[in-house]
Amino acid sequence: MSKPSKTAGEAPASDSLRRRHRGWRVAAWIVGPLLLVMVPVAIVGSVTPAPSALIIRSLFVKDGAARAAEMQEHVAVEPATQMFDIAYGGGVDPVETLDLFSNATEGELLPTVVWIHGGAWVSGSSANVNPYLKLLANEGYTTVGVNYGLGPEATYPAAVNQLNEALGYLNDHADELGIDSSQIVLAGDSAGAQLASQLATLITDERYANLMGIAPALEADQLSGALLNCGVYDLASMAELDGIIAWGLQTSLWAYTGTKNWSATYEGATMSSLDFVTSDFPPTYISGGNGDGLTWLQSIPMSTALQAAGVPVTELFWPAEHEPALPHEYQFHLDRPEAQEALEATIGWLGEVTS
């Protein structure tokens, strides 16, 4: 009986099997170590958010440093006064610090922008936004970047209490810091925008302050405005998302609130500033990129709620078809013309609310 013929270029079956076996071994070398890491993280992650939250933090740290370096290149002149790591909590907790930038002369008090950094409630620092604060300081403001406790080490409402304490410190030391305490703008990006909106609600709504059990450090008439970039204002809608980005945000919220069921508890309810908007909420500037899902799910509904309550709102949103699609926190990518437009709009709005 004759042997089966083999066409030109066709390897014997044994050669094909050997190559396939080598491929499986290569795949095992790659996938094996990943599984050794991913499987335990997945198992532990079903019980505690800490390992995943720390992974998320590491990603934010790298991104935040790169973004700050990009912004720093646009700072042509450094503000005359730069103060770092001012302890606002009496030095008990090392995270309770703030940075300040100003061109105020001796005895001069300037309208003040208090900025709360983002980082999904588990990462970030004032250093990530300091170059942007320098730009605003050069427009005639004292600007302050505040640090606060992050999850999972600190759980809700620790950050709210700390930020309220920081406002009290700024109010008490206004004269020496060049702060006009009658013209305070609360500002923030991403998770920081959520916190800024929550503080504005705390200060302007006595019922909400009672629910939180926190005595506001400022009076409502001390607030000139709220500046909200790319924030989260409705926690219930966050729980309904799926996908890798949603997983990251939901894990971060679990780490920050200390409860896996955050959307249906006190934590999620009181973090949802959209549900507590009143006409006393300060005039608001709100913006988000068209390529950021949070714009459509969070920022636009928040703007709609504010306007329905009679709050003066200045929006900067972009058409859905705008190209290039603008990502989360596009405002900090100052090499982009849209970010420059947002900066100009921000400066213009600040001039209106603090004039």
Side-chain angles (χ1 to χ4, degrees), residues 89-282:
V92 177
D93 189 334
V95 305
E96 295 177 349
T97 63
L98 53 86
D99 300 338
L100 181 145
F101 306 92
S102 183
N103 288 309
T105 59
E106 186 174 355
E108 184 180 16
L109 306 180
L110 298 176
T112 299
V113 179
V114 179
W115 198 290
I116 305 168
H117 69 80
W121 303 278
V122 298
S123 183
S125 74
S126 57
N128 299 152
V129 296
N130 280 349
Y132 203 81
L133 300 186
K134 293 177 183 180
L135 293 171
L136 297 182
N138 286 336
E139 297 295 329
Y141 302 92
T142 294
T143 58
V144 180
V146 188
N147 291 303
Y148 53 92
L150 305 170
E153 294 88 350
T155 54
Y156 185 84
V160 182
N161 279 294
Q162 290 170 324
L163 293 166
N164 187 54
E165 187 173 3
L167 293 177
Y169 178 91
L170 294 173
N171 191 50
D172 293 342
H173 296 82
D175 290 348
E176 63 192 80
L177 296 175
I179 290 172
D180 181 352
S181 59
S182 69
Q183 297 195 80
I184 302 291
V185 173
L186 294 176
D189 59 283
S190 194
Q194 182 276 320
L195 284 161
S197 72
Q198 192 172 4
L199 285 170
T201 305
L202 181 76
I203 293 167
T204 59
D205 186 348
E206 183 179 357
R207 171 175 171 265
Y208 181 78
N210 288 335
L211 288 173
M212 289 293 296
I214 299 175
L218 299 180
E219 300 292 334
D221 60 6
Q222 292 180 263
L223 293 187
S224 292
L227 194 163
L228 309 176
N229 284 339
C230 306
V232 173
Y233 317 101
D234 176 14
L235 273 290
S237 63
M238 297 298 292
E240 299 171 1
L241 299 176
D242 54 23
I244 186 63
I245 300 299
W247 169 84
L249 286 169
Q250 291 163 359
T251 300
S252 297
L253 281 164
W254 179 9
Y256 173 66
T257 62
T259 175
K260 194 172 186 178
N261 195 32
W262 44 264
S263 66
T265 59
Y266 150 82
E267 291 85 0
T270 53
M271 285 179 68
S272 299
S273 50
L274 182 148
D275 293 332
F276 295 94
V277 166
T278 70
S279 59
D280 293 324
F281 197 93

Side-chain angles (χ1 to χ4, degrees), residues 10 14 48 105 110 127 146 157 192 210 325 334 349 355:
E10 182 181 350
S14 59
T48 171
T105 59
L110 298 176
V146 188
N210 288 335
L334 291 172
W349 174 81
S355 60

Side-chain angles (χ1 to χ4, degrees), residues 289-292 318-327 330 336-338:
N290 66 307
D292 179 6
W318 304 81
E321 64 275 9
H322 179 83
E323 291 292 341
L326 301 176
Y330 79 93
R336 297 172 181 256
E338 296 91 346

Side-chain angles (χ1 to χ4, degrees), residues 69-108:
E70 177 185 340
M71 288 191 285
Q72 182 61 38
E73 294 182 0
H74 294 267
V75 180
V77 179
E78 293 287 329
T81 297
Q82 302 190 32
M83 304 171 69
F84 298 92
D85 300 323
I86 302 171
Y88 65 77
V92 177
D93 189 334
V95 305
E96 295 177 349
T97 63
L98 53 86
D99 300 338
L100 181 145
F101 306 92
S102 183
N103 288 309
T105 59
E106 186 174 355
E108 184 180 16

